[in-house]
């Protein structure tokens, strides 16, 4: 049994779908079964579990050969985001230690080797550290920033012709990757039969690095109208994040991350294995625009 936590997310859905297409049994762990109809149609076993519920997590991983674990995210408005995510990580790690599967794949992040100054990526570091003592083969799949994150800014770009970003400067390329490609890579890694308990650390990014300027230019070409990139002034970050619903704690996690990112401190760890996705920027942005223009049902 392959157990996928966060199975309704962009990475988790792709992993689950790919494993099912290979004829493998998949248990999809979700918070809200109502959002998992597609997974059920694929033949996934659905189980509802909150990562704060140790008994539910233990039930979810019962009988698993492999478990794909994510760093749990909480709603932007959570006033205690850091402590909530740390409790979720501890709950998941304890359950895995008590019921270790043959293989654990942890979905992690570029910069997760760093133990300070990385904001929300520090939670990925803590997830990795919590998983390492588990008596399972461990794969840490660290991905660059997901291109799908630009969907949050599409309404602004469409409405104003301006693409805001915390990245600065806007013409500096940085590593990105499609979440779909990460899900495909995870499904492939979960099916690889390797012996031993050595931890594999794999850094994954897309076929080429992109800048905010590249994103804006590609959007402009797809839309047939100008789109201008705009690096939001550092002194305005906290107020702007608060204005769109971020709690002070969650906003600070992002601020710390982008301070380190803009200083060049977020990179693939030297010596890690490397994987490269195939989805180009234009293909991903075209898909996001298609989704944005599709009426909700």
């Amino acid at each position: 049994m392959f157990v996928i936590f966060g199975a309704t997310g962009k990475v988790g859905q792709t992993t689950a779908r790919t494993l099912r297409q290979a004829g493998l049994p998949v248990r999809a762990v979700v918070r809200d079964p109502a959002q998992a109809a597609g997974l059920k149609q694929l033949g996934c076993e659905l189980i509802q579990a909150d990562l704060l519920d140790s008994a539910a997590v233990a039930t979810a991983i019962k009988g698993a050969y492999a478990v794909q674990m994510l760093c749990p995210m909480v709603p932007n408005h959570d006033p205690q985001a850091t402590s909530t995510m740390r409790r979720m990580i501890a709950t998941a790690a304890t359950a895995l230690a008590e019921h270790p599967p043959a293989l654990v794949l942890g979905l992690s992040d570029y910069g997760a080797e760093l133990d300070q100054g990385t904001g929300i990526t520090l939670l990925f570091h803590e997830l990795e550290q919590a998983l390492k003592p588990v008596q399972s083969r461990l794969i840490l799949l660290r991905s660059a920033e997901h291109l799908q994150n630009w969907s949050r800014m599409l309404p602004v770009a469409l409405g104003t012709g301006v693409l805001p970003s915390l990245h600065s400067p806007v013409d500096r390329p940085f590593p990105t990757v499609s979440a779909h490609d990460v899900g495909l890579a995870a499904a492939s890694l979960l099916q690889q039969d390797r012996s031993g308990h050595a931890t594999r650390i794999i850094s994954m990014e897309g076929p080429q690095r992109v800048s905010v300027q590249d994103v804006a230019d590609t959007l402009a070409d797809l839309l047939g109208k100008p789109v201008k990139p705009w690096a939001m002034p550092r002194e305005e970050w906290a107020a702007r994040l608060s204005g769109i619903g971020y709690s002070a704690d969650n906003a600070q996690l992002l601020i710390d991350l982008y301070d380190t990112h803009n200083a060049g401190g977020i990179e693939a760890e030297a010596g890690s294995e490397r994987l490269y996705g195939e989805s180009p920027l234009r293909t991903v942005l075209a898909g996001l625009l298609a989704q944005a223009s599709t009426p909700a049902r």
Side-chain angles (χ1 to χ4, degrees), residues 17-277:
R17 182 182 303 109
T18 304
L19 292 172
R20 284 297 302 137
Q21 288 172 344
L24 297 169
V26 173
R27 181 179 298 148
V29 186
V30 300
R31 292 180 181 177
D32 183 4
Q35 298 181 2
L39 293 169
K40 187 174 183 179
Q41 290 176 353
L42 287 172
C44 295
E45 174 190 343
L46 297 185
I47 187 166
Q48 184 176 12
D50 186 325
L51 278 174
L52 291 173
D53 185 338
S54 57
V57 175
T59 298
I61 65 175
K62 184 178 180 180
Y65 161 72
V67 173
Q68 178 168 299
M69 181 58 64
L70 76 170
C71 186
M73 296 291 108
V74 297
N76 293 339
H77 62 266
D78 189 327
Q80 297 179 318
T82 302
S83 62
T84 301
M85 287 187 278
R86 282 177 171 155
R87 287 165 55 209
M88 289 178 170
I89 289 169
T91 299
T94 298
L96 288 167
E98 293 176 350
H99 310 280
L103 173 63
V104 173
L105 187 148
L107 296 174
S108 191
D109 205 17
Y110 270 33
E113 74 277 9
L114 304 175
D115 61 3
Q116 59 182 344
T118 59
I120 200 163
T121 298
L122 185 59
L123 277 300
F124 289 88
H125 172 80
E126 295 183 12
L127 173 69
E128 290 191 3
Q129 297 307 305
L131 292 179
K132 285 180 178 178
V134 176
Q135 294 300 302
S136 304
R137 287 186 287 122
L138 177 61
I139 299 173
L140 299 174
L141 179 56
R142 294 177 183 163
S143 64
E145 183 175 314
H146 290 180
L147 285 170
Q148 282 75 9
N149 290 348
W150 287 105
S151 64
R152 304 166 186 167
M153 294 301 170
L154 284 186
V156 179
L158 290 169
T160 68
V162 175
L163 181 69
S165 178
L166 301 185
H167 284 285
S168 181
V170 296
D171 60 352
R172 182 172 64 192
F174 56 92
T176 63
V177 68
S178 169
H180 175 75
D181 290 349
V182 177
L184 291 176
S188 176
L189 290 166
L190 286 168
Q191 295 177 78
Q192 293 179 10
D193 186 14
R194 296 195 178 189
S195 59
H197 287 274
T199 298
R200 296 177 66 189
I201 299 176
I202 302 170
S203 301
M204 183 173 186
E205 58 187 83
Q208 63 183 37
R209 297 191 169 193
V210 303
S211 66
V212 182
Q213 183 71 62
D214 293 329
V215 176
D217 289 345
T218 304
L219 283 174
D221 188 48
L222 289 167
L223 293 169
K225 63 181 182 179
V227 176
K228 180 181 178 180
W230 177 53
M232 286 190 284
R234 171 65 174 73
E235 63 272 15
E236 296 181 14
W237 289 3
R240 288 183 176 275
L241 290 170
S242 175
I244 58 174
Y246 279 79
S247 67
D249 188 19
N250 237 332
Q252 194 60 52
L253 291 175
L254 276 183
I255 290 168
D256 290 345
L257 169 61
Y258 279 93
D259 277 342
T260 302
H261 208 307
N262 292 341
I266 302 295
E267 260 295 347
E269 184 179 11
S272 61
E273 297 180 51
R274 303 297 300 275
L275 284 177
Y276 297 90

Side-chain angles (χ1 to χ4, degrees), residues 269-294:
E269 184 179 11
S272 61
E273 297 180 51
R274 303 297 300 275
L275 284 177
Y276 297 90
E278 297 182 357
S279 300
L281 173 64
R282 184 182 181 87
T283 299
V284 176
L285 291 181
L288 295 179
L289 286 172
Q291 292 173 17
S293 63
T294 301

